[in-house]
Amino acid sequence: MVEHNKGAKPGHQEHCNGLVIAAHGRHYLVQARVGDASLKLQCVTRGKKSDVAVGDRVKLKLTSPNQGVIEAIDQRESLLYRSDQYKSKLLAANVTQLFIVVATEPGFADDLISRALVAAEAAGVKARIVLNKTDIVDALEKTRQRLTLYASLGYPVHEVSARAFPEQTCATLQPLLAGQSTILIGQSGMGKSSLINLIVPDADIAVREISAALDTGKHTTTFTRLYEMDAADQSLDGNPANIIDSPGFQEFGLYQLSEGMLERAFVEFTPYLGKCKFYNCHHLIEPSCAVLEAVKENKIAPMRHQLYVQLLHESSQKLY
């Protein structure tokens, strides 16, 4: 049951600013300040627009004590989204870092990790990998070996176990979260919810409130949601910290990225860009291609180059 907000007078049609903390379809939950009160408002957009993302700072107009209409989106510092051939799906706005959560078991897809890293680079967002369930020692060494490629590219790998070693997990992650807006992504079963519940003690309560407000049911993560963290988690300059949980997904389409964006989003390509024989080299089959030569010499992992080729193909198939 969601409490009715008090203090807002529907007849006044007050304008205010807010932070989008959850999204489900074209329905949004916005944390807003109206006068001296901090309210959670159920909001919609004008018309059929659905270009609002969790993490957006918005301007809205109250239409009742706990409802409003989003009228404008403030300028974004970053936007993470995925897309397929037909449409795009906004993940979160104004994030400063991305945690890719993997686990010793069940198995995870390298393709998803690399795609998430490419998306982070394209959006100008820092990326880290969080290896959960390190207490499952039988699979630990093999999993570590799989992650060495990403560590060698400069992406930090942090080992935790939310259930077996909760205090150590908090000690590892909380300094990384301070003063940041962090989104957690990963396949189902990796333990994202366990991590969220550990870091945000009231997360379960918040989920029930948000689910009731958006009428989505209470048992599965079917929507992206933002949790504001305690004042103690602010950075030294006072920047507030928040953490965003997203539904588990198996595919991460990046049809929206152009060829130029793609080649710059593979960090290991950087030393070789501009050194190919042809200025408009696509790094596919061209002669004297510096990137292809680096692949042959194992300076670029073949798996990563194969993903680049796949993403280049996908971007040429976009229909919207």
Side-chain angles (χ1 to χ4, degrees):
M1 188 82 181
V2 175
E3 282 184 31
H4 285 287
N5 296 315
K6 297 175 183 177
K9 296 179 181 177
H12 287 189
Q13 297 240 318
E14 226 172 322
H15 289 77
C16 60
N17 296 321
L19 174 68
V20 180
I21 61 172
H24 183 72
R26 293 195 179 105
H27 298 270
Y28 306 92
L29 198 63
V30 177
Q31 187 78 45
R33 181 158 288 280
V34 182
D36 296 329
S38 180
L39 310 177
K40 286 186 176 68
L41 304 173
Q42 299 171 38
C43 294
V44 294
T45 53
R46 292 210 177 278
K48 293 186 177 180
K49 285 186 178 178
S50 58
D51 55 351
V52 178
V54 170
D56 267 327
R57 292 180 284 269
V58 297
K59 291 180 173 58
L60 52 93
K61 181 161 73 173
L62 269 68
T63 54
S64 77
N66 58 343
Q67 293 182 322
V69 175
I70 295 171
E71 301 204 310
I73 303 169
D74 291 354
Q75 185 172 345
R76 292 163 169 154
E77 293 160 22
S78 65
L79 178 65
L80 272 172
Y81 63 105
R82 55 195 180 101
S83 61
D84 59 22
Q85 197 169 1
Y86 305 99
K87 62 182 179 180
S88 61
K89 170 77 173 172
L90 303 183
L91 289 175
N94 300 313
V95 295
T96 57
Q97 64 181 354
L98 165 69
F99 281 11
I100 303 165
V101 181
V102 298
T104 46
E105 61 179 46
F108 57 85
D110 284 292
D111 181 74
L112 189 81
I113 294 176
S114 274
R115 285 170 177 265
L117 293 174
V118 168
E121 292 291 339
V125 171
K126 291 181 295 186
R128 301 176 182 272
I129 296 171
V130 176
L131 170 57
N132 192 23
K133 306 185 188 180
T134 54
D135 55 300
I136 303 176
V137 292
D138 290 349
L140 182 56
E141 200 50 48
K142 183 180 178 183
T143 307
R144 281 174 172 160
Q145 288 172 7
R146 286 181 64 189
L147 297 176
T148 55
L149 167 61
Y150 310 109
S152 73
L153 297 175
Y155 299 109
V157 178
H158 305 280
E159 296 190 0
V160 299
S161 179
R163 290 192 173 164
F165 309 114
E167 290 180 6
Q168 287 175 239
T169 299
C170 283
T172 298
L173 297 183
Q174 282 180 327
L176 305 175
L177 296 166
Q180 303 286 332
S181 178
T182 306
I183 182 171
L184 270 61
I185 71 163
Q187 295 161 255
S188 299
M190 297 295 142
K192 283 193 293 97
S193 295
S194 296
L195 289 170
I196 292 280
N197 288 329
L198 195 59
I199 295 161
V200 186
D202 293 333
D204 279 340
I205 297 169
V207 169
R208 287 195 291 274
E209 287 183 349
I210 293 169
S211 296
L214 295 177
D215 196 26
T216 60
K218 302 170 186 173
H219 304 297
T220 56
T221 311
T222 56
F223 54 88
T224 304
R225 62 218 184 186
L226 179 150
Y227 306 97
E228 293 184 278
M229 297 175 67
D230 292 339
D233 295 307
Q234 292 183 354
S235 63
L236 293 175
D237 58 7
N239 287 334
N242 59 59
I243 189 164
I244 299 171
D245 191 16
S246 62
F249 48 82
Q250 307 301 322
E251 296 182 357
F252 201 130
L254 295 170
Y255 282 68
Q256 76 273 16
L257 299 183
S258 67
E259 182 175 341
M261 294 167 76
L262 281 172
E263 67 176 12
R264 290 190 297 275
F266 283 79
V267 291
E268 64 270 51
F269 287 17
T270 303
Y272 310 104
L273 297 180
K275 296 181 179 177
C276 301
K277 180 177 180 181
F278 300 103
Y279 78 93
N280 60 345
C281 185
H282 303 296
H283 320 304
L284 296 174
I285 56 170
E286 295 83 354
S288 302
C289 167
V291 170
L292 290 176
E293 288 172 5
V295 175
K296 281 182 188 174
E297 295 168 8
N298 278 323
K299 293 176 181 175
I300 293 175
M303 178 180 75
R304 292 272 291 175
H305 182 260
Q306 286 163 14
L307 176 62
Y308 166 78
V309 174
Q310 175 63 28
L311 293 176
L312 204 57
H313 171 71
E314 289 176 10
S315 71
S316 70
Q317 306 298 307
K318 186 172 70 172
L319 297 177
Y320 61 92

